[in-house]
Amino acid sequence: MEQAVQKKPGPWRRACHQCDLLLERAAAPLGQKLVCPRCNATLHRNGAHSIRYTAALSLTGLLLFIPSATLPLLHFSIFTFGAENTLFNGVQALFGAGYIWLSSLVLFCSVLAPLGKFTLLAFISWGCGWEALDRPVANAVRWYHHLRDWAMLDVYMLGILVALVKMSDLGKMVVEPGLYSFAAMMLVSNLTTLSFDPHAVWARLARRRERPPAGEAAGGGP
């Protein structure tokens, strides 16, 4: 009688995003980067203090979000008429004009998604140090991958710059402190995306899962 033999799963492989070459090593060693030997593309960069940098940058982004959302970005004046532009003015104008779906999209991409991105990264970076939060941290990493591409601060900044150039001939445009905070928040957002390494978080969770219980490690098991 023949018996089915269960094969053990092979090692994880990483496919190069440029030339599709399969590599045996899935992650780079700590403090180094993984480079494709065929096309020399960088596949993974394992920073030595990725989680610490992400924690600091995410908290900085949350602090910068407060003045960016509350302070005026631009002040436009023509003759005796003057108006200040804030992060929510454009959303309110679109909603008042009847563009409900468009205003909701702008609100989500320029306000809610960046705020959610900083919040998730702060929770992941600080929460992965506690074993009791392993499951919420794992869910937060998955949510971050879905939310990451929706935080379009650079697109909003591009719209502000276009308005600054186009409307400067019609009246007086003055840059307010909120715009500097918004530019700093956009820079911090990009740095946070570059510094965050999900492999470091998964590796930390895996090491805790593979660690034997305290009783077995001390030889107190039955």
Side-chain angles (χ1 to χ4, degrees), residues 115-138:
L115 180 60
K117 174 185 174 181
F118 288 131
T119 304
L120 285 175
L121 288 179
F123 175 74
I124 293 169
S125 303
W126 293 93
C128 66
W130 286 272
E131 186 175 359
L133 297 177
D134 282 357
R135 185 177 295 273
V137 167

Side-chain angles (χ1 to χ4, degrees), residues 55-90:
L57 289 171
S58 58
L59 289 180
T60 304
L62 289 174
L63 293 177
L64 287 174
F65 181 84
I66 299 175
S68 300
T70 56
L71 296 178
L73 305 177
L74 293 174
H75 180 81
F76 176 75
S77 61
I78 178 172
F79 299 113
T80 58
F81 173 79
E84 290 182 342
N85 180 28
T86 63
L87 196 60
F88 296 98
N89 278 0

Side-chain angles (χ1 to χ4, degrees), residues 14-33:
R14 176 185 290 269
C16 177
H17 61 278
Q18 295 289 345
C19 63
D20 293 331
L21 178 65
L22 292 178
L23 302 175
E24 293 291 341
R25 183 181 291 274
L30 185 64
Q32 300 181 17
K33 64 179 181 179

Side-chain angles (χ1 to χ4, degrees), residues 134-216:
D134 282 357
R135 185 177 295 273
V137 167
N139 293 330
V141 174
R142 298 186 183 97
W143 276 103
Y144 168 75
H145 285 294
H146 294 292
L147 190 65
R148 174 182 56 187
D149 297 332
W150 287 97
M152 301 180 183
L153 295 177
D154 49 351
V155 178
Y156 195 91
M157 175 60 75
L158 182 61
I160 294 177
L161 294 178
V162 171
L164 184 62
V165 173
K166 293 293 185 179
M167 300 183 66
S168 59
D169 297 334
L170 301 178
K172 183 180 180 181
M173 299 286 293
V174 179
V175 177
E176 297 290 344
L179 185 58
Y180 298 106
S181 300
F182 186 84
M185 183 178 65
M186 182 187 66
L187 178 61
V188 170
S189 177
N190 294 329
L191 292 177
T192 306
T193 304
L194 294 176
S195 67
F196 177 64
D197 184 15
H199 297 280
V201 178
W202 292 124
R204 177 175 292 190
L205 299 182
R207 286 195 300 268
R208 276 206 295 263
R209 180 171 297 181
E210 295 172 357
R211 186 176 57 193
E216 297 181 5

